[in-house]
Amino acid sequence: MASDGGRKQFWKRSGSRVPGSIQHVYGAQHPPFDPLLHGTLITPGSKPPTTPVKFKKVSTFQEFESNTSDAWDLGDDDDELLAMAAENLNTDVVMETANKVIQNHSKLQEQHKLQEEQHAEEEQVQFSELPSVASGENRLVKSISESNTSSSADAASENASLQRSQSLPHASTVPIVGGAADHYASASPVLTEREAFRLDKFRQLLAGPNTDLEELRKLSWSGIPKQVRQITWKLLSGYLPANVDRREGTLQRKRKEYFVFIEQYYDSRNDESHQDTYRQIQIDIPRMSPEALRLQPKVTEIFERILFIWAIRHPASGYVQGINDLVTPFFVVFVCEYIEEEEVENFDVSSLPEEVLQNIEADSYWCMSKLLDGIQDNYTFAQPGIQKKVKMLEELVSRIDEQVHKHLEQHEVKYLQFAFRWMNNLLMREVPLRCTIRLWDTYQSEPEGFSHFHLYVCAAFLVRWRKEILEEKDFQELLIFLQSLPTMHWGDEDISVLLAEAYRLKFAFADAPNHYKK
C-alpha cells in the first residue's frame, strides 16, 4: 500500500511545501540535479489493485463538461460534447471526441481567416478603382450601377456591425488597452461579432456589485479581451476582492504597503548580506524579453525594486534566475491600461505620470507574489518542484507518444536539458510575449493552472513538434531545435489549439495514472 500511495501522489499535486535553507542566488542555467539523489521521485511500485471506476467517470465527465462550457464557440463542437453524455464513456470515446473538437476548432478559425482576407481584398479592389472613375481619363473601369450593386451587401454588413458595437455598454472605469497584449488586434481595431459579444459578457459580469469569480474563470478560459484584461487578472489572481465597494480601499492599502517595504528594505541592497542577490538581479534583467522594454532605464529601475523586495521577504527561496521573467506579463498588461493603440515594446514608459508608474509597480509586485505563492517549491533550494515536474513530463510523454520518447532516449537527450527552462520560466522563453499573455489568461482560469495544468501544456507543446523531432538524427541538432523552437509567428489561434490539446491530456491522465499502463 505504501508504494500505491506514492504512485497516486505522483499524479496529484501534494499540498505540502518543501522547506529549504536560505540560498539567495544559484544558477538556473545549470540546474542542481543529481540522478542518484533525485532518482526516487517516481518509484516503480507494484501494479495497484484494480477498483471500480464507473462512478468516477461520471463525475469526471461532469467536471469536464462544466469546465469547458465556454471554451469554444456555440456550434458543432458543443453538439459533439453533449453527445458524449449519452454514452457510457470510455477512453476511446473521450479521445476521439476531443480530437474532433480540436480539428473543428482549427477548421473554423481557418475559414474565418479566409473570409476576412477575401473581404479585405474586395475592399482594396474597390478602393483602387474609385480614383480611376473620378479621374478625367477616357477609360471606364466599372459602371456606377455595378459598383452600387456589388458594394450594397458589404455596406449593409458594415452598418450592422457598427450598430452592434455602438450598442455595447462602455464602462469609463475600464480604459482601452494598448496593442502589446495582442499583436494582431492592433492591426484590426474593429471588433468581430464574436469579440464584441464576449466583451459584452465580460463587462456585464464585471459591472455587478459582487463579481462571480467562478463564472469569470469559465469565461476567461478561452481568452480575455484586452479591454478588460487588467481588472480580470487582478481578480483572478486574488489581488482584488470580488466586492466592487472594497476594491478601491484594497488597492490603496496594498500599494501603500508595498512602498513601506521599499522604505524599509531597499536601502539594504548594498549590504554585504544582500550584495549577491542584488548583483544577480542586475545581471538577469538585461536578459529579459522584449528587448525594447528592458533597455528603458525606468523599467530596469522598477524591476530591480520588485525583485529585490520579493527576495528579501521570501528568504526560504531568495532570488532565483527565472523569477525575473514572471514580472513582465503583469507589468505589460497593467501598462496597457493607460495607453491606447501603441504597443508597449515601442512605448516610452517614463512618459507616464509618476503616480501611475507607482501604481503599476505595486500591482505587478502583488500579482507576481500571488503567482509565486502557488509554485514556490520551484524556487526553494535545489528547486525540487521543477525536478519533480520534469520527471512527470518524461513519464507523461512516454505514455502519449512513445515514439518521440524513445527517439529522445536513443539520441541521449535528457528532458532536464530542455524542459527545465520550460518549467522555470513557464514557457516564456519559448513563445512570444503576446502568446504568454494569452496562455496566462487560461492559467489563471484553471485550478492550479501554473502549478499543475502547465505540465500538460508542456506535454502538448513537445508533441506538437513530433514531426520535426523525429526528423533530427543527431544529439546536438535535437537539443538546438528543442531550445529554440520556431514560434516567432505564433498567435492566439496557435495557443488556443495548444490549450485544447493540453486539456484533453489533463482529462485523460490527471486522475488516471494507469490509463495507458504498459
Side-chain angles (χ1 to χ4, degrees):
M1 290 298 292
S3 62
D4 295 346
R7 185 78 178 178
K8 185 175 181 182
Q9 288 179 5
F10 164 70
W11 287 99
K12 288 193 175 181
R13 179 180 180 275
S14 173
S16 63
R17 296 293 182 203
V18 180
S21 60
I22 300 176
Q23 296 289 336
H24 289 296
V25 179
Y26 44 88
Q29 293 180 342
H30 304 285
F33 181 79
D34 187 347
L36 296 177
L37 295 177
H38 302 280
T40 58
L41 287 173
I42 300 176
T43 57
S46 59
K47 180 177 180 181
T50 58
T51 55
V53 291
K54 182 175 181 181
F55 294 102
K56 193 171 184 179
K57 287 184 178 180
V58 174
S59 64
T60 303
F61 172 76
Q62 289 171 349
E63 181 183 354
F64 171 77
E65 182 182 32
S66 173
N67 287 342
T68 56
S69 60
D70 193 46
W72 295 282
D73 293 335
L74 296 176
D76 296 337
D77 296 343
D78 292 334
D79 295 336
E80 291 176 2
L81 289 172
L82 292 174
M84 292 170 61
E87 302 182 21
N88 185 14
L89 284 180
N90 56 44
T91 300
D92 295 334
V93 173
V94 173
M95 302 283 283
E96 180 183 354
T97 306
N99 278 324
K100 287 181 180 178
V101 170
I102 295 172
Q103 292 170 3
N104 289 343
H105 180 68
S106 301
K107 289 178 182 177
L108 287 173
Q109 293 286 356
E110 289 175 2
Q111 291 174 1
H112 180 66
K113 197 172 184 180
L114 184 61
Q115 290 174 358
E116 287 185 345
E117 289 176 355
Q118 291 175 347
H119 182 66
E121 289 176 0
E122 290 174 2
E123 287 183 344
Q124 196 170 13
V125 169
Q126 291 176 9
F127 181 78
S128 62
E129 287 171 348
L130 286 176
S132 300
V133 176
S135 63
E137 298 176 3
N138 294 326
R139 64 179 185 278
L140 181 64
V141 177
K142 196 174 188 179
S143 68
I144 297 176
S145 60
E146 287 175 345
S147 176
N148 290 337
T149 303
S150 63
S151 62
S152 60
D154 292 338
S157 64
E158 289 176 4
N159 289 335
S161 176
L162 181 61
Q163 290 173 358
R164 277 193 300 270
S165 63
Q166 289 176 342
S167 65
L168 291 174
H170 296 283
S172 59
T173 57
V174 185
I176 300 299
V177 180
D182 190 336
H183 176 73
Y184 299 104
S186 61
S188 54
V190 178
L191 297 177
T192 65
E193 183 176 358
R194 178 180 181 274
E195 291 170 342
F197 176 72
R198 294 195 75 247
L199 178 59
D200 189 26
K201 289 179 69 175
F202 269 95
R203 282 179 168 158
Q204 289 177 8
L205 188 59
L206 294 169
N210 288 285
T211 303
D212 187 337
L213 295 181
E214 189 59 34
E215 286 299 316
L216 187 62
R217 288 189 183 95
K218 291 179 181 180
L219 194 58
S220 302
W221 201 99
S222 54
I224 302 171
K226 58 181 184 176
Q227 293 88 340
V228 293
R229 182 173 274 131
Q230 57 87 21
I231 181 66
T232 304
W233 276 26
K234 290 175 183 177
L235 287 167
L236 293 180
S237 67
Y239 175 45
L240 286 184
N243 184 276
V244 174
D245 296 335
R246 293 175 51 209
R247 288 178 193 167
E248 187 59 34
T250 300
L251 280 175
Q252 292 179 3
R253 176 172 55 83
K254 299 298 283 184
R255 289 167 177 172
K256 182 178 179 181
E257 186 178 351
Y258 170 73
F259 284 100
V260 169
F261 295 157
I262 296 291
E263 293 177 4
Q264 288 180 343
Y265 302 120
Y266 195 59
D267 287 341
S268 68
R269 64 190 182 278
N270 294 317
D271 292 353
E272 186 176 353
S273 58
H274 298 148
Q275 276 183 355
D276 289 342
T277 298
Y278 186 63
R279 187 182 302 113
Q280 190 62 51
I281 290 172
Q282 290 181 308
I283 291 172
D284 289 345
I285 287 178
R287 300 172 179 169
M288 298 188 315
S289 179
E291 182 179 0
L293 191 63
R294 74 184 185 221
L295 294 178
Q296 297 186 36
K298 192 66 179 177
V299 175
T300 299
E301 177 187 332
I302 290 172
F303 275 52
E304 284 179 359
R305 284 198 295 264
I306 290 174
L307 294 170
F308 183 78
I309 295 301
W310 189 90
I312 294 298
R313 289 184 49 77
H314 295 81
S317 61
Y319 174 74
V320 180
Q321 289 174 315
I323 294 178
N324 55 305
D325 282 331
L326 306 184
V327 185
T328 308
F330 292 114
F331 182 80
V332 167
V333 168
F334 297 156
V335 165
C336 287
E337 180 183 0
Y338 300 97
I339 64 176
E340 296 181 6
E341 297 180 359
E342 255 185 291
E343 295 187 356
V344 173
E345 288 91 337
N346 303 318
F347 179 76
D348 182 8
V349 174
S350 62
S351 64
L352 290 171
E354 187 62 29
E355 183 181 357
V356 168
L357 288 174
Q358 290 179 353
N359 292 342
I360 292 171
E361 179 178 345
D363 294 347
S364 299
Y365 169 82
W366 287 115
C367 287
M368 183 199 73
S369 297
K370 292 286 186 182
L371 186 161
L372 287 170
D373 285 347
I375 57 173
Q376 193 167 352
D377 59 338
N378 284 6
Y379 304 105
T380 53
F381 178 69
Q383 300 183 262
I386 292 180
Q387 310 278 0
K388 183 177 180 180
K389 287 184 178 70
V390 170
K391 206 67 175 162
M392 292 168 67
L393 175 65
E394 182 175 354
E395 180 157 333
L396 182 58
V397 173
S398 71
R399 294 186 175 197
I400 64 178
D401 199 325
E402 189 175 8
Q403 189 177 5
V404 167
H405 176 70
K406 287 189 172 181
H407 186 76
L408 294 174
E409 274 190 340
Q410 179 185 350
H411 293 88
E412 300 182 345
V413 176
K414 306 298 182 185
Y415 282 75
L416 203 66
Q417 292 171 323
F418 62 88
F420 185 92
R421 189 173 70 182
W422 296 8
M423 302 298 177
N424 193 57
N425 302 87
L426 298 176
L427 288 177
M428 283 195 61
R429 298 292 180 95
E430 321 309 319
V431 298
L433 179 60
R434 60 181 179 273
C435 295
T436 296
I437 291 173
R438 168 63 190 91
L439 196 63
W440 284 25
D441 287 347
T442 299
Y443 280 2
Q444 297 193 83
S445 308
E446 271 283 320
E448 299 182 324
F450 292 98
S451 59
H452 186 63
F453 186 61
H454 179 66
L455 168 69
Y456 299 96
V457 173
C458 288
F461 188 62
L462 178 62
V463 176
R464 158 70 176 76
W465 308 100
R466 75 180 313 274
K467 179 177 177 292
E468 292 84 353
I469 290 172
L470 295 176
E471 287 175 353
E472 298 291 350
K473 306 295 183 183
D474 177 70
F475 167 81
Q476 185 175 354
E477 294 299 324
L478 261 173
L479 203 56
I480 290 174
F481 175 75
L482 289 169
Q483 291 179 346
S484 55
L485 294 164
T487 60
M488 184 183 302
H489 301 292
W490 272 31
D492 284 0
E493 294 176 10
D494 301 281
I495 295 297
S496 296
V497 173
L498 179 69
L499 289 167
E501 175 65 15
Y503 195 92
R504 183 180 72 86
L505 294 176
K506 179 191 172 187
F507 177 71
F509 288 96
D511 296 317
N514 298 313
H515 193 65
Y516 283 149
K517 190 173 180 64
K518 299 176 183 177

